Amino acid sequence: MALTKTSVTLLASQSVVAGLSKATAVFGAWVDTRAYGRQTVRWKLTNGGSAPGVAPTLIVQTSPDNGTTVYDEYTVGGDTITNSVNSGPIATDDTTMYVRVGVYGHTTNTVTAEATLQTETL
């Protein structure tokens, strides 16, 4: 069997306004991962020419039922440096059924956020 790798958009690159709370965060849609084996969230937070006063938070949430039950699995943060780019991988486990990401928490200025899910199937 051949190994197939796929990239799925979790959060398309977009500007996220300052002042959002977790309750009002910008979230991508739930992505069904039941057909995938190994999977990794790749995320990126980019500050503009005016950095935020408080760093942004990116949260990875999972669900066994397409969003009725939600688990906060991982959070990562950016920084408060002008024009800074923060990025990295977050491995999810093979039993994850649905996943999404959201961004919130920064103050003063917008940040650009994006995330993809990189997967493997046989």
Side-chain angles (χ1 to χ4, degrees):
M1 292 182 147
L3 181 65
T4 302
K5 296 183 180 186
T6 307
S7 182
V8 179
T9 299
L10 290 172
L11 185 65
S13 181
Q14 62 185 286
S15 291
V16 179
V17 298
L20 300 176
S21 67
K22 183 177 165 188
T24 60
V26 170
F27 281 98
W30 287 104
V31 172
D32 184 344
T33 63
R34 293 175 293 174
Y36 304 130
R38 290 186 358 177
Q39 47 199 319
T40 302
V41 174
R42 301 277 179 186
W43 60 273
K44 182 164 73 170
L45 298 169
T46 305
N47 296 337
S50 296
V54 172
T57 298
L58 182 134
I59 187 168
V60 177
Q61 294 181 324
T62 63
S63 176
D65 51 19
N66 201 16
T68 300
T69 307
V70 177
Y71 299 101
D72 296 343
E73 295 289 337
Y74 308 95
T75 57
V76 294
D79 61 31
T80 57
I81 299 170
T82 300
N83 296 316
S84 176
V85 177
N86 294 268
S87 63
I90 300 171
T92 60
D93 93 29
D94 298 354
T95 61
T96 297
M97 296 174 73
Y98 296 89
V99 66
R100 74 175 181 175
V101 299
V103 178
Y104 67 95
H106 52 288
T107 62
T108 314
N109 297 300
T110 62
V111 299
T112 300
E114 63 186 84
T116 60
L117 184 70
Q118 295 179 341
T119 68
E120 286 183 352
T121 54
L122 287 177

